[in-house]
């Protein structure tokens, strides 16, 4: 009988999502281990050392539990990643949508950027299945867009366009940070000094006059917040013009 119960439990874990399992009533915990604690610890490892440093064995060591203890909540690293991503998106203070679609979408984009820059490994978690806190983001956006007369496909396209801009801009910022770290540069100014000879030669070819003008005239090269918000406003302006809203 016991073996049959274990087999049934294994089959259940193979076919039911971690979120459905976690919402089921459970007996009183035998340890202080919780999904929240597991996620927080794993996120801490990833923030400090990168996503590749997160393993079930390393997690158990940080939690001070037996290597198999976390398997009571997750079946492996894929589900652990879901918990981690959900934990991160749970940090988002979602706008309530009462200020109109544009203000809501702008606020949402700025807050997503902050969270992704704080947890840069999340942009690598492309194989992660949807999670509750993650789905709360498009829910908030689509709620703000509701009432504009958009069909479901168009509303989702608007949301996807804004978040695609956010992820692209954040990926660029993260890439630059990684370049600085790999080259041992402490600032963007130091990076420009390090690349000066290469850039001088490239500009001297005369093939990049507009980029040369940017180098000579731009005053906000290091103002990443301004760059992000300006690009975001261009995206939102385009959406507003296209949809006449």
């Amino acid at each position: 009988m016991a073996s049959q119960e274990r087999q049934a439990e294994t089959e259940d874990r193979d076919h039911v999502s971690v979120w459905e399992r976690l919402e089921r009533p459970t007996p009183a915990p035998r340890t202080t281990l919780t999904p929240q604690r597991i996620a927080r610890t794993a996120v801490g490892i990833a923030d400090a050392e990168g996503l590749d440093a997160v393993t079930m064995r390393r997690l158990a060591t940080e939690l001070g539990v037996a290597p198999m203890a976390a398997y009571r909540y997750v079946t492996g690293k894929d589900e652990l990643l879901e918990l981690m991503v959900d934990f991160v998106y749970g940090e988002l203070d979602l706008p309530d949508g009462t200020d109109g679609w544009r203000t809501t979408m702008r606020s949402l984009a700025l807050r997503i950027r902050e969270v992704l820059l704080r947890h840069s490994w999340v942009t690598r978690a492309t194989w992660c299945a949807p999670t509750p806190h993650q789905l709360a983001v498009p829910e908030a956006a689509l709620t703000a867009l509701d009432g504009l007369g958009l069909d479901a496909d168009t509303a989702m396209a608007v949301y996807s366009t804004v978040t695609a801009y956010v992820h692209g801009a954040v990926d660029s910022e993260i890439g630059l940070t990684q370049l600085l770290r790999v080259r041992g540069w402490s600032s963007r100014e130091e990076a420009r000094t390090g690349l000066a000879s290469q850039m001088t030669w490239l500009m001297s070819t005369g093939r990049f006059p507009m980029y040369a003008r940017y180098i000579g005239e731009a005053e906000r090269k290091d103002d990443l917040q301004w760059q992000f918000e300006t690009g975001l406003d261009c995206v939102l302006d385009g959406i507003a013009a296209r949809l006449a809203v």
Side-chain angles (χ1 to χ4, degrees):
M1 179 67 70
S3 63
Q4 292 176 339
E5 290 177 351
R6 284 195 297 272
Q7 181 179 355
E9 181 179 352
T10 299
E11 292 175 351
D12 180 61
R13 289 167 67 86
D14 287 343
H15 294 90
V16 177
S17 79
V18 61
W19 308 109
E20 183 176 345
R21 292 201 312 273
L22 292 179
E23 289 201 9
R24 292 176 177 176
T26 58
R30 291 167 290 182
T31 70
T32 59
L33 203 59
T34 64
Q36 186 81 353
R37 185 181 170 211
I38 290 171
R40 182 183 296 108
T41 302
V43 166
I45 296 172
D47 287 348
E49 303 176 38
L51 192 58
D52 292 338
V54 181
T55 65
M56 297 300 285
R57 183 171 295 278
R58 171 68 184 281
L59 179 62
T61 299
E62 294 293 329
L63 290 168
V65 299
M68 295 301 292
Y71 285 99
R72 181 167 177 250
Y73 298 95
V74 294
T75 59
K77 191 167 181 179
D78 284 351
E79 287 191 351
L80 174 60
L81 184 63
E82 290 183 46
L83 288 185
M84 294 168 64
V85 169
D86 193 67
F87 182 90
V88 167
Y89 275 90
E91 295 179 357
L92 276 172
D93 180 18
L94 296 175
D96 59 18
T98 58
D99 293 329
W101 76 269
R102 179 171 180 140
T103 299
T104 298
M105 296 298 288
R106 193 177 195 280
S107 177
L108 196 58
L110 291 170
R111 296 177 194 188
I112 293 173
R113 173 178 177 264
E114 290 177 1
V115 168
L116 293 181
L117 289 176
R118 193 158 58 241
H119 307 285
S120 60
W121 54 268
V122 174
T123 60
R124 289 186 52 203
T126 55
W127 70 91
C128 179
T131 80
H133 279 125
Q134 195 177 28
L135 284 178
V137 179
E139 182 68 20
L142 294 174
T143 298
L145 294 168
D146 191 34
L148 296 180
L150 307 180
D151 59 71
D153 291 319
T154 302
M156 181 57 76
V158 169
Y159 164 73
S160 298
T161 297
V162 173
T163 54
Y165 168 75
V166 174
H167 281 266
V170 169
D171 280 345
S172 179
E173 289 190 54
I174 292 173
L176 177 59
T177 300
Q178 291 173 339
L179 174 64
L180 295 179
R181 183 171 61 251
V182 169
R183 295 291 186 94
W185 295 325
S186 60
S187 66
R188 291 167 64 94
E189 183 60 38
E190 191 171 335
R192 282 192 287 272
T193 300
L195 294 171
S197 61
Q198 181 173 333
M199 292 299 293
T200 297
W201 182 85
L202 287 169
M203 295 304 104
S204 71
T205 65
R207 286 178 281 176
F208 313 103
M210 297 309 298
Y211 199 87
R213 178 189 173 192
Y214 166 75
I215 291 175
E217 298 180 12
E219 298 179 351
R220 294 180 179 269
K221 296 187 184 77
D222 296 332
D223 193 344
L224 300 183
Q225 185 73 27
W226 179 88
Q227 293 173 20
F228 179 85
E229 292 192 37
T230 299
L232 176 60
D233 285 335
C234 288
V235 172
L236 294 174
D237 285 346
I239 291 172
R242 168 79 179 183
L243 302 179
V245 294

